[in-house]
Amino acid sequence: MDNDLILLGHGSGGKLSHQLLSDLVIPTLSGIPPAGQNDAAVVTHNGQRFAFTTDSYVVDPLFFPGGNIGCLAVNGTINDLAMMGARPLYMSVGLIMEEGFSRAELKEILDSMRAAADGAGVAIVTGDTKVVPRGKADRIFINTSGVGVIEHDLAIGGNCARPGDRVLINGAIGDHGIAVMAKREGLDLESDIRSDCAALNGLVEEILKEGDAVHVLRDPTRGGVATTLKEIALQSRVGITLQERALPYNGAVKGVCAILGLDPLYVANEGKILVVAAPQAADALLERMRSHPLGREAAIIGEVTGEDDRGRLEIDTVSGGTRAVEMLAGEQLPRIC
C-alpha cells in the first residue's frame, strides 16, 4: 500500500479513517486528544455551552429508498449535535454542483432539506453555492454545519462509559447502508428495505430525562455499530461485550448481508443511536426510548466491562462462543453518506 496516497478506505469511518485523523489531520489542525474527539465540539461563551459541528455528504446514488442526499445532510448534522446532548438551533448549507446538474433534482433536494430542518425545529440561516466544470465532481456534494445549545450540566461523551454500564440501541441495524447499496447496484430485492435516515434530537430529549445516568450518546453511521462501539471502548478505556441474540435486525437486511458476505455490524445507519447508561437506569431508559416513534424497537444489547479490558470489544454469539470485534478495516461500502 502506498502510504503517500489517500484511498477510498480513508473515508470509510473505520480503521484507515482513524489512522488518517490521528496521524495527520487532527495533529496538524488542532491537537485534540482522542478522549475529546466526539461528534461535535463543545465550546463555552459567557458561561453557556454550545455544540458545533460540520460534515460533508457525497452519497451515491443521490436518491435512495427512504431519502436523498438533502435530508441525509440535514439529519446528519442535527444528529451530530444531538449526540452531545445539545438542542440543535442553526445550520449552514454549502452546495458544490457539477455543470449540467438537473435543476429539478436540485429543487427536490432543497425541498427535502427544508422539510427535514423544519421537522426538527432547526433554521437554515446561511450557505454557499459553487459550480465546477462538467466532469470535475459527481453531480452534487453538500456540506452542512450546525450549532446547538447545551441546556444542562451533564457530561456526555465517548470517554464517559463506565464499567457496569448498559449499551442500548433504538432499533434495527444496517438499514441505511443496505438500502443505498441495493439502489446503487440495481439489486432487485423482494423486500422493501428503506434507509432509516431521521433526525434524532426528539428522541435524545426523551433520553436526557434520565439525567446523569446517561453517559454516552453516539450515532453509528460510517463504520457501523462495531466501529462506533470500538471507538467508545478506546476513548473510555473500558471493554464492551455485546449479546448477539439481543441485536435487532431487519430480517431482509440480515439476509442480504449473508448473501453478499457483509457483516451488518459494520453497515452504516443514519437514524440509530447507541446509548451507554448506568445499569440502574437501563430498564427505565429502555421504556422511554420505546415510547418514542424512533425508539419502538429499542433493545439493551450489551454491557461495559472493566478497565482491565480497555479498548476490547467482543460479542457473545448465539452458539455460545465469544469473538473479538475490531474496527472496520478498509472500505465495506464507500460513499454511503
Side-chain angles (χ1 to χ4, degrees):
M1 182 183 297
D2 190 336
N3 291 327
D4 291 332
L5 301 178
I6 299 299
L7 308 174
L8 267 178
H10 285 115
S12 68
K15 190 172 183 179
L16 286 179
S17 296
H18 281 260
Q19 288 176 345
L20 180 65
L21 290 172
S22 61
D23 293 347
L24 179 60
V25 178
I26 293 175
T28 304
L29 294 180
S30 67
I32 295 174
Q37 296 170 18
N38 290 298
D39 288 319
V42 175
V43 295
T44 302
H45 181 70
N46 289 338
Q48 176 62 61
R49 292 197 301 161
F50 296 90
F52 177 46
T53 190
T54 189
D55 208 340
S56 298
Y57 296 84
V58 298
V59 65
D60 176 35
L62 300 179
F63 299 88
F64 47 83
N68 62 53
I69 190 173
C71 59
L72 183 69
V74 170
N75 289 335
T77 288
I78 288 170
N79 291 345
D80 282 345
L81 296 170
M83 294 309 112
M84 303 309 298
R87 180 166 62 87
L89 295 175
Y90 303 108
M91 290 184 62
S92 71
V93 173
L95 304 173
I96 300 175
M97 295 171 285
E98 187 181 26
E99 180 187 20
F101 186 65
S102 163
R103 288 177 65 101
E105 288 189 326
L106 177 59
K107 180 65 164 61
E108 186 174 351
I109 289 168
L110 295 176
D111 285 343
S112 177
M113 298 181 80
R114 178 64 185 271
D118 288 350
V122 176
I124 298 174
V125 294
T126 188
D128 180 53
T129 60
K130 293 288 189 300
V131 179
V132 299
R134 194 184 302 267
K136 298 298 184 183
D138 192 357
R139 295 163 291 167
I140 185 171
F141 299 145
I142 298 177
N143 173 269
T144 47
S145 298
V147 175
V149 61
I150 300 176
E151 299 168 307
H152 51 74
D153 296 326
L154 305 177
I156 295 174
N159 63 332
C160 296
R162 304 169 189 171
D165 282 354
R166 301 297 190 262
V167 181
L168 299 89
I169 192 168
N170 62 318
I173 296 167
D175 289 18
H176 173 74
I178 296 302
V180 172
M181 188 206 65
K183 177 71 173 179
R184 181 190 304 169
E185 303 300 330
L187 299 181
D188 185 17
L189 303 177
E190 292 185 1
S191 62
D192 181 21
I193 301 175
R194 298 173 61 82
S195 168
D196 59 354
C197 183
L200 294 167
N201 54 320
L203 177 58
V204 168
E205 285 182 19
E206 191 65 29
I207 291 169
L208 292 180
K209 291 177 182 176
E210 287 300 321
D212 60 8
V214 180
H215 299 156
V216 184
L217 302 172
R218 191 67 69 81
D219 54 340
T221 53
R222 291 178 307 163
V225 168
T227 300
T228 303
L229 288 176
K230 182 73 175 182
E231 290 173 350
I232 293 169
L234 289 168
Q235 284 184 277
S236 296
R237 303 169 69 84
V238 296
I240 296 176
T241 299
L242 294 176
Q243 299 300 320
E244 187 175 37
R245 67 179 66 253
L247 296 172
Y249 293 112
N250 176 331
V253 168
K254 199 170 183 179
V256 171
C257 287
I259 293 171
L260 299 179
L262 301 173
D263 186 338
L265 280 176
Y266 293 104
V267 176
N269 312 269
E270 290 294 342
K272 293 297 174 297
I273 180 172
L274 291 163
V275 185
V276 180
Q280 63 271 20
D283 289 339
L285 182 55
L286 184 65
E287 291 307 309
R288 285 193 184 279
M289 294 173 69
R290 287 176 172 171
S291 70
H292 191 277
L294 294 178
R296 289 177 181 144
E297 298 177 341
I300 298 173
I301 61 173
E303 182 174 344
V304 178
T305 58
E307 295 179 353
D308 291 342
D309 299 324
R310 62 180 61 176
R312 172 183 287 273
L313 175 64
E314 61 185 17
I315 182 167
D316 289 341
T317 67
V318 293
S319 60
T322 299
R323 66 178 172 90
V325 181
E326 298 299 332
M327 284 187 181
L328 174 66
E331 36 112 4
Q332 188 178 45
L333 298 172
R335 296 190 59 183
I336 211 73
C337 62

